[in-house]
Amino acid sequence: MIMAKNPIRVSRRMLITWFMLAGFIFLFAPQKLTNKFQFAFARIFRWPLSIGRNVSLSARMEQPLTNVVSRSEYSQLQNHLANVIEQRDQEHKKVEKLSGLRDRFVLEGARFVLADVITASIDGSRGELIINRGQDDGLAEDQFVLGNNSIIGTISDVSSRTAQVRLITDSTSRIAVKIAELNASWVMQGAGNNSAKVQLLSIKHKVKTGDVVCARKKPGFLDAPMIVGRVAECERDDENPSLWDITVEPVCDLKRLSNIAVIIMNLQ
Amino acid sequence: MRWFRFAVFISLVTVLQAGLVDIIAIKNIKPDLLLILLVFFAIYCNTSEAIITSFTIGFAADIIGSAMGPRIISFGLFGTLLAYLRRVIAIRKMPYQSAVIFITSFLAGALVHFLTFLKGQPTPPNICAVLFGISLYSSLMGPFLFLPIAWCMRMRAYRFSRH
């Protein structure tokens, strides 16, 4: 018996209705669920995306000068110096206590997981990276991420083999920081356009342009303060003149990052 | 419509948009290749095909965007409107195509930002300037890409039929 093959015909109205419904389901579905599609895309097209990113990075790379170190190497060394100073200060405080108890050097127990950047979305208020390491490599949410020896963000979402990094400049990023020698904690919020803001800081504290801003230590995630950025602007707040409105710029060129390191502190 | 060819082509353009289009960015403003494709298929395909391609391109744009959903709805809606509009107005000359890309990009972008805001995601502070820049760049570049796209898709770029 020969059966006639009838093609399924769907009216345009039905087509639009179904597609719109799918769109609204995606729109209102939890971000954690829909991120899986983005991770899957990044994983499937990891090689062409990495190649494309490397090509665009090398196209924008400035010509190396002779007898001088490159800007990236210079900032990397500067950041390393700032971190070592912070760690030294912390060790000095411990020595001063003369507790007599055995202790280990900060970050001694930390593991650094190196990862390549698959895609970077840095525009306007958004600052996100997708990296090629995930849960299988020990990554978890809220872990700090290093780029050129400075904190550049935290892990915001993680799948088995990829993870999303929320950069410090992203408008949803909030991390506790300390500024220069001031011994107090403030919240630094991403402001987009390669900057972040520190607000609610009284003008009685002396802050000047160029001061180092460090991420405060966070038990289980960061054992010692590490450099995040430098004060780019320090003005009185328009709404409340008794407070500073501080603009912080990252010490690392976030757009040119090709690889990063994730700090895993709470090793089993 | 050759759907397999379309799927491969969209994947390729999505990868290009995500990874390589930064090279031609001017002050952080990049052309939206997927939106150019949306306008192309809305102009040169029949209405049903244009609806499917619009929503598919929206899905691809969401995958490399900040959140899933806003572009599927926005691209699908404006692609469908454009497909119906094309049945009334011929969009064959390059200046018209350029104007259509500009308007579609601006309106679709505005809806994307609104839906992104609705979803609770951050939106850039200077939306109008960003939208204008992207729309202008895409509209200047778009009509010149129509012929290569038509060649890749084995379509006749100057066909105009009212389905």
Side-chain angles (χ1 to χ4, degrees), chain A residues 38-67:
Chain A
Q38 293 171 323
F39 284 146
F41 174 79
R43 204 165 53 236
I44 293 164
F45 295 100
R46 195 174 65 186
W47 294 112
L49 285 170
S50 298
I51 291 166
R53 184 163 166 73
N54 289 340
V55 169
S56 65
L57 282 177
S58 56
R60 283 193 291 176
M61 202 73 82
E62 64 236 35
Q63 291 296 314
L65 300 167
T66 52
N67 295 329

Side-chain angles (χ1 to χ4, degrees), chain B residues 91-155:
Chain B
I91 310 164
R92 278 194 288 183
K93 289 185 178 173
M94 280 176 97
Y96 299 156
Q97 291 171 346
S98 190
V100 166
I101 292 172
F102 182 86
I103 295 164
T104 312
S105 172
F106 196 87
L107 294 176
L111 186 59
V112 165
H113 285 298
F114 173 72
L115 292 170
T116 307
F117 172 75
L118 210 66
K119 197 172 177 170
Q121 295 283 316
T123 49
N126 47 350
I127 293 174
C128 279
V130 172
L131 275 181
F132 184 82
I134 293 171
S135 306
L136 189 68
Y137 203 164
S138 305
S139 66
L140 291 175
M141 208 176 153
F144 294 100
L145 295 179
F146 276 18
L147 268 179
I149 297 168
W151 181 80
C152 287
M153 290 301 300
R154 300 283 185 269
M155 285 167 69

